[in-house]
Amino acid sequence: MCHAFRVMAYQIYRIIHKPPKELVKTEDLSSNFVSLQDIQTAYAKFKQLFLIDNSTEFWDTDIKWFSLLESSSWLDIIRRCLKKAIEIIECLEAQNMSVLLLEENASDLCCLISSLVQVMMDPHCRTRVGFQSLVQKEWIMGGHCFLDRCNHLRQSDKEEVPVFLLFLDCVWQLVHQHPPAFEFTETYLTVLSDSLYIPIFSTFFFNSPHQKDTNMGRESQETQSKPLNLLTVWDWSVQFEPKAQMLLRNPLYVEKPKLDKGQRKGVRSTVRCLHA
């Protein structure tokens, strides 16, 4: 009992006397990183590789597919995103610094980089429950404009930028490189990306929680229209039978010790997103 008390006292001492992150590094993602226009242009070229109308076009594309893929710059953007996340992690861990992410609206690239940092640093974010929580926290509650970025209403192609798809593709690369580190599979990420454009789900349909509450929580006072009744994407039983849901779980997953709540909060608190 006395030994256990001494161990606990030592742990408390380490927490209290841990050197604070006094240095703060600022990362202006609006000027020192890929732009939304870059992402939009690269994805348009990347998507074109899969829009083939006939066999002649297929074989013409197949011969130079890898060069066309490289020229789209989509993979280069993924590389730059992962590199930026690694740079921030090095600041947090090796240099004991806090990192302040700046962006014009703080709801696109900030969501992307902050999420990647947490996926890499926190084993909990690599579980299905943790990843769902991360998406809800950083993207849904963070105010990512899914309605505009996915162009669900087909109102403005200018605002359509697949930032969330870029995030999922970055995570796909990590899953592909480190399979045992993730509880979910590539199939899980693919299904999640497909769900972006299924109109029966409310999860990725609105620009903000306020817009969602306004349209789903009560009747509109101006139009007297009935509130929308949409499902959540996280209820996989809506889309899949129990046997099919097994494909979403990685059988090679090796669980690592979870960070406690204080440590997980520390990871997030040292990466803050603000309007530029």
Side-chain angles (χ1 to χ4, degrees):
M1 182 69 179
C2 183
H3 173 71
F5 179 79
R6 286 199 300 269
V7 171
M8 183 176 66
Y10 174 68
Q11 292 174 338
I12 294 174
Y13 174 84
R14 289 185 60 188
I15 293 173
I16 293 176
H17 295 279
K18 182 179 179 180
K21 290 182 170 63
E22 297 179 352
L23 299 177
V24 178
K25 180 179 180 180
T26 300
E27 285 284 350
D28 188 351
L29 300 179
S30 296
S31 60
N32 300 324
F33 195 48
V34 296
S35 67
L36 296 181
Q37 181 63 47
D38 293 335
I39 297 173
Q40 186 182 56
T41 302
Y43 184 71
K45 294 180 180 179
F46 176 70
K47 185 170 63 174
Q48 196 63 37
L49 296 176
F50 305 93
L51 301 178
I52 299 175
D53 295 328
N54 52 64
S55 59
T56 302
E57 187 177 351
F58 170 80
W59 289 113
D60 289 342
T61 303
D62 185 67
I63 295 174
K64 50 185 177 180
W65 197 86
F66 287 105
S67 61
L68 291 173
L69 175 61
E70 183 178 1
S71 64
S72 72
S73 298
W74 181 251
L75 293 181
D76 183 62
I77 288 178
I78 292 175
R79 179 191 62 80
R80 293 177 64 183
C81 291
L82 294 174
K83 181 181 178 182
K84 179 63 69 175
I86 292 172
E87 290 174 354
I88 292 175
I89 291 173
E90 289 177 348
C91 290
L92 296 174
E93 292 193 330
Q95 303 178 34
N96 199 38
M97 299 172 65
S98 294
V99 179
L100 183 66
L101 301 180
L102 299 178
E103 187 186 9
E104 186 175 350
N105 58 12
S107 62
D108 287 306
L109 300 177
C110 277
C111 297
L112 170 63
I113 298 302
S114 177
S115 297
L116 285 177
V117 169
Q118 292 174 76
V119 167
M120 292 182 185
M121 292 186 69
D122 188 356
H124 179 66
C125 293
R126 299 193 290 270
T127 65
R128 284 177 56 181
V129 172
F131 191 77
Q132 173 183 332
S133 176
L134 176 69
V135 171
Q136 285 290 141
K137 176 183 62 176
E138 295 295 332
W139 295 86
I140 310 300
M141 301 307 295
H144 180 66
C145 299
F146 283 99
L147 186 65
D148 294 338
R149 293 293 180 247
C150 298
N151 200 12
H152 287 311
L153 301 181
R154 298 298 168 191
Q155 292 182 337
S156 174
D157 293 340
K158 184 178 179 180
E159 295 295 325
E160 184 177 0
V161 185
V163 183
F164 187 69
L165 282 179
L166 175 59
F167 166 65
L168 294 181
D169 206 341
C170 288
V171 176
W172 188 94
Q173 301 295 333
L174 296 175
V175 171
H176 188 68
Q177 295 175 32
H178 309 281
F182 292 84
E183 185 187 20
F184 50 85
T185 62
E186 298 167 1
T187 302
Y188 174 89
L189 296 172
T190 302
V191 169
L192 197 58
S193 66
D194 290 342
S195 301
L196 271 174
Y197 300 98
I198 300 178
I200 65 172
F201 299 118
S202 65
T203 311
F204 305 124
F205 197 76
F206 299 98
N207 282 337
S208 66
H210 174 71
Q211 187 183 61
K212 178 180 178 180
D213 293 341
T214 300
N215 287 276
M216 295 188 64
R218 60 180 183 274
E219 292 188 2
S220 172
Q221 296 180 357
E222 296 180 359
T223 63
Q224 294 299 315
S225 60
K226 293 183 178 180
L228 295 174
N229 185 19
L230 302 175
L231 304 170
T232 174
V233 73
W234 307 116
D235 185 1
W236 298 111
S237 62
V238 174
Q239 301 186 62
F240 305 104
E241 297 291 335
K243 186 176 181 179
Q245 292 182 46
M246 295 298 294
L247 297 174
L248 307 180
R249 191 182 188 285
N250 179 16
L252 302 178
Y253 172 61
V254 178
E255 185 175 4
K256 289 188 175 182
K258 297 179 181 179
L259 301 177
D260 59 37
K261 291 184 179 180
Q263 289 174 307
R264 289 206 300 269
K265 184 178 180 181
V267 171
R268 180 62 183 88
S269 64
T270 51
V271 185
R272 297 188 180 275
C273 305
L274 293 177
H275 294 274

